[in-house]
Amino acid sequence: MFATPQYSFGPFVFDTRSRVLYRGTRLVGLPPKAAETLSLLLANAGAVMEKTALLDAAWAGRSVGESSLTRTISILRAVLGDDETSEGYIDTISKRGYRFSAHVTRSADPAADTGNSVSIAVLPFSCFNGGQEQEYFSDGLTEEITAQLYKRGDGWLRVMARTSCMAFRDTQKRIGVIGRELGVSYMLEGSVRGYGSRMRIAAQLIRAGDEMHVWAENYERRIGDALRLQCIVAGEIAHEVQSRLAAQEVDLL
């Protein structure tokens, strides 16, 4: 897979792979056609995009009127805080189309995978109850999952170092922001809860680009040998994550 570009302009960053717009660290919602139109305008920044070209590309050849494009441009201007009557991001070129006039910086997406590899970070599992022993168990589980994923990766899976991920313990940052900071495309997070003699472990695999779940599962086990329990559950989680990531990447090829 090849790295996809990100476009930066003003306070915004647009990720073309996931069609996601950020204002600083905040995710900005865009309807699909608005995201597609913005991607086309950014890819041709400074040049006039004819209305017919925008309609054909964004609506995939469907027969729609210019009013659909006009509404989409209005949505983009509202989101960007653009005012057609003043200097802004999107210019109207009379009887022709539109031009993205602001300065745009194009860069490779740091969270995109290169070559045939996929990248993932295992965030510290949260400990919702229990004492220090359960916190030790949670940290050990995080470390074991990281090691299992690396061993099973066989060259195509790049796994972020545990110490780099530990900096995000108890963070309130969004998954998309963490993914961009670590430069990975997938994130595994989870939690550990103790109930008497039983333990419940939750794990969730999330795509960093659009913050959507790819997989989630709960594991409820009787507490016995903590080290053995860590190894068994970590192995099961690593197996599922590896399988899901492989399927996701095949679908994207």
Side-chain angles (χ1 to χ4, degrees):
M1 295 178 64
F2 298 99
T4 52
Q6 285 186 333
Y7 295 104
S8 302
F9 54 97
F12 298 98
V13 175
F14 183 74
D15 186 327
T16 59
R17 180 181 182 182
S18 55
R19 296 294 195 267
V20 170
L21 178 68
Y22 294 93
R23 184 185 180 103
T25 59
R26 181 172 61 86
L27 188 66
V28 180
L30 281 180
K33 297 305 180 187
E36 188 66 31
T37 301
L38 179 59
S39 180
L40 292 165
L41 289 170
L42 289 171
N44 296 276
V48 178
M49 287 290 292
E50 302 288 342
K51 293 179 181 178
T52 53
L54 286 169
L55 286 167
D56 287 344
W59 276 264
R62 289 177 54 196
S63 179
V64 296
E66 288 187 9
S67 60
S68 296
L69 178 59
T70 302
R71 284 194 299 272
T72 299
I73 294 295
S74 295
I75 291 171
L76 285 174
R77 284 178 168 146
V79 168
L80 300 176
D82 198 351
D83 184 349
E84 187 178 1
T85 63
S86 63
E87 184 177 353
Y89 294 108
I90 303 174
D91 293 339
T92 298
I93 309 302
S94 180
K95 298 181 180 180
R96 292 187 59 189
Y98 301 93
R99 176 179 60 208
F100 199 91
S101 57
H103 176 71
V104 176
T105 301
R106 183 182 188 276
S107 61
D109 179 1
D113 302 307
T114 57
N116 294 315
S117 63
V118 184
S119 54
I120 187 172
V122 181
L123 297 180
F125 273 44
S126 301
C127 184
F128 288 147
N129 55 7
Q132 196 171 37
E133 286 189 9
Q134 194 161 308
E135 290 185 9
Y136 289 153
F137 179 89
S138 178
D139 288 347
L141 179 65
T142 303
E143 183 173 21
E144 185 66 28
I145 294 171
T146 301
Q148 290 270 2
L149 285 172
Y150 175 75
K151 287 190 292 185
R152 296 164 182 260
D154 196 27
W156 67 271
L157 180 60
R158 295 185 296 119
V159 183
M160 180 61 61
R162 182 188 67 87
T163 51
S164 299
C165 299
M166 293 300 288
F168 294 93
R169 181 196 293 275
D170 299 325
T171 184
Q172 298 300 311
K173 293 183 177 181
R174 296 180 67 106
I175 287 293
V177 175
I178 299 174
R180 289 162 61 190
E181 291 187 13
L182 289 176
V184 297
S185 48
Y186 293 92
M187 213 83 63
L188 182 72
E189 65 174 4
S191 63
V192 174
R193 293 179 174 88
Y195 300 96
S197 63
R198 302 191 69 81
M199 184 171 289
R200 185 183 181 91
I201 300 166
Q204 305 171 70
L205 178 64
I206 303 170
R207 193 166 46 241
D210 55 10
E211 303 185 357
M212 298 296 289
H213 279 78
V214 176
W215 165 83
E217 187 59 86
N218 294 318
Y219 300 85
E220 188 167 334
R221 299 288 189 273
R222 184 175 297 279
I223 301 174
D225 186 332
L227 290 177
R228 184 169 182 272
L229 180 59
Q230 283 177 350
C231 291
I232 292 174
V233 175
E236 293 179 9
I237 292 173
H239 172 75
E240 288 293 337
V241 168
Q242 180 191 29
S243 300
R244 302 289 173 160
L245 289 180
Q248 283 282 305
E249 295 307 306
V250 167
D251 289 343
L252 290 172
L253 290 176

